[in-house]
């Protein structure tokens, strides 16, 4: 049966076999428990299976793809579990691999940070710009809330850039495969940090003091006590400075 691609679900299926193989070679899959988000027509799934995982849990929202995926599940009964749900309703753990739907990539990665104590590693294809934001270093143009949130809790590595012609249908943007490895198994205190980051980055051209004083009257004094120059711009503070501020201001 012909499949009608759903733009709203970010359906760009990867058709280049050597890139599919490269993605599954980034982390050791053998005997591991793997979650694949959005298996689509199963292109990446088949490559994962060749590497013999212990369990492969597929989560796909588009029920039109169900017959194809059920067939694959039938063939690999002992390995595959199939869930037809929205990934944002699922609690993920262990190793996660995905050619992520572009429209939910940032939201999903932010949601995952809270589970970094139980996630071992992530290999994701994302829109190039999202990869740039995730890996941006301090004082560079893409450095933002997302960079700080992720880099405080994980190591982000850009592995491979992928041009639009490797997908069907072709996306408008370039993609990048990234590897994210959580740093610590400790439970993450997330809410305060995210709150401070949202306020701090509200206006990049304002100083950190001026951004933060809207919600804390003695912001300048407290910023100084953290050893940070209150006249710095938000993009010039190291990730760890934000951790200090979240402890000192709230
Ligand atoms: N892995 C396949 C398809 C990637 S396209 C390949 O590499 O070719 C992204 C896939 O994610 C699509 O199959 C789409 O239907 C699915 N998807 C989109 N939003 C989703 C969501 N919220 N939850 C689960 N799957 C989703």
């Amino acid at each position: 049966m012909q499949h009608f691609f759903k733009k709203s679900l970010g359906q760009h299926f990867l058709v280049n076999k050597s890139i599919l193989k490269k993605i599954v070679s980034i982390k050791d899959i053998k005997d591991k428990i793997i979650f694949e988000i959005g298996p689509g027509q199963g292109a990446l799934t088949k490559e994962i299976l060749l590497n013999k995982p212990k369990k492969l849990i597929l989560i796909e929202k588009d029920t039109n793809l169900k017959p194809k995926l059920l067939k694959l599940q039938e063939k690999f009964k002992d390995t595959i579990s199939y869930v037809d749900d929205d990934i944002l309703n699922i609690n993920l753990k262990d190793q996660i691999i995905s050619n992520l739907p572009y429209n939910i990539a940032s939201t999903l990665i932010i949601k995952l940070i809270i589970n970094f104590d139980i996630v071992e590693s992530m290999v994701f294809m994302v829109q190039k710009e999202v990869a740039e934001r995730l890996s941006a270093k301090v004082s560079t143009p893409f450095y933002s809330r997302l960079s700080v949130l992720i880099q405080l809790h994980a190591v982000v590595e850009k592995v491979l850039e992928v041009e639009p012609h490797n997908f069907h249908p072709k996306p408008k943007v370039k993609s990048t495969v990234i590897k994210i490895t959580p740093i610590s198994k400790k439970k993450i205190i997330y809410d305060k940090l995210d709150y401070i980051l949202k306020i701090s980055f509200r206006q990049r051209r304002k100083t950190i003091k001026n951004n933060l004083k809207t919600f804390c009257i003695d912001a300048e004094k407290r910023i100084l006590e953290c050893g940070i120059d209150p006249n710095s711009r938000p993009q010039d503070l190291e990730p760890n400075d934000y951790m200090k501020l979240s402890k000192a201001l709230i």
Side-chain angles (χ1 to χ4, degrees):
M1 193 176 69
Q2 196 189 349
H3 179 70
F4 294 98
F5 299 99
K6 297 203 178 84
K7 232 181 169 174
S8 62
L9 289 178
Q11 289 184 347
H12 299 284
F13 298 143
L14 194 51
V15 290
N16 181 323
K17 198 132 188 149
S18 72
I19 295 174
L20 288 162
K21 286 199 180 301
K22 173 90 195 186
I23 294 174
V24 297
S25 74
I26 294 169
K27 280 290 294 180
D28 192 13
I29 285 172
K30 194 167 187 311
D31 295 330
K32 301 275 169 118
I33 300 172
I34 310 286
F35 285 77
E36 189 195 350
I37 303 165
Q41 296 179 313
L44 195 57
T45 318
K46 286 175 192 152
E47 292 300 327
I48 296 172
L49 286 164
L50 288 176
N51 286 273
K52 308 232 173 310
K54 183 168 153 193
K55 280 265 167 257
L56 175 58
I57 300 112
L58 307 176
I59 303 119
E60 173 57 63
K61 185 174 176 179
D62 185 356
T63 45
N64 286 350
L65 295 162
K66 205 168 176 175
K68 223 173 193 160
L69 292 169
L70 283 176
K71 225 184 235 171
L72 202 60
Q73 187 195 27
E74 181 59 29
K75 201 166 152 201
F76 294 89
K77 265 203 250 10
D78 297 336
T79 312
I80 294 184
S81 308
Y82 168 49
V83 186
D84 58 343
D85 198 352
D86 190 313
I87 192 63
L88 297 171
N89 298 329
I90 306 285
N91 281 322
L92 293 161
K93 57 189 172 80
D94 300 303
Q95 277 184 211
I96 311 165
I97 301 184
S98 179
N99 171 9
L100 279 180
Y102 294 147
N103 48 344
I104 63 160
S106 308
T107 313
L108 180 78
I109 292 172
I110 286 177
K111 184 178 176 260
L112 271 173
I113 293 175
I114 301 159
N115 290 340
F116 272 8
D117 56 328
I118 49 169
V119 174
E120 196 188 316
S121 75
M122 289 143 275
V123 173
F124 290 151
M125 171 96 72
V126 294
Q127 186 176 331
K128 185 179 172 192
E129 198 202 308
V130 173
E132 296 303 330
R133 284 201 278 134
L134 288 165
S135 59
K137 293 295 166 215
V138 65
S139 306
T140 61
F142 283 104
Y143 187 69
S144 57
R145 165 179 165 247
L146 190 60
S147 331
V148 177
L149 278 175
I150 195 92
Q151 289 172 32
L152 275 171
H153 303 114
V155 175
V156 182
E157 295 160 80
K158 284 190 274 183
V159 185
L160 180 72
E161 263 193 31
V162 185
E163 298 291 328
H165 68 260
N166 295 296
F167 298 88
H168 182 74
K170 259 197 245 178
K172 287 204 179 78
V173 292
K174 286 189 186 179
S175 305
T176 306
V177 178
I178 52 163
K179 178 175 156 193
I180 304 176
T181 315
I183 297 167
S184 154
K185 291 261 171 255
K186 274 198 235 143
K187 194 85 203 144
I188 283 160
I189 315 290
Y190 174 86
D191 292 347
K192 276 194 198 177
L193 176 66
D194 195 27
Y195 188 53
I196 285 290
L197 283 166
K198 280 186 179 144
I199 299 166
S200 300
F201 277 98
R202 207 176 270 162
Q203 296 204 47
R204 290 172 79 90
R205 276 172 308 173
K206 272 195 179 178
T207 61
I208 190 75
K209 169 181 82 184
N210 282 339
N211 275 324
L212 288 175
K213 76 176 181 201
T214 52
F215 101 106
C216 173
I217 38 167
D218 59 350
E220 182 165 4
K221 179 172 155 273
R222 298 204 200 185
I223 297 167
L224 268 172
E225 281 165 6
C226 291
I228 298 163
D229 176 0
N231 293 314
S232 325
R233 313 277 153 186
Q235 59 274 27
D236 296 325
L237 266 58
E238 297 281 347
N240 206 36
D241 290 332
Y242 283 105
M243 190 54 107
K244 287 188 206 157
L245 286 177
S246 74
K247 288 178 182 153
L249 274 114
I250 310 179

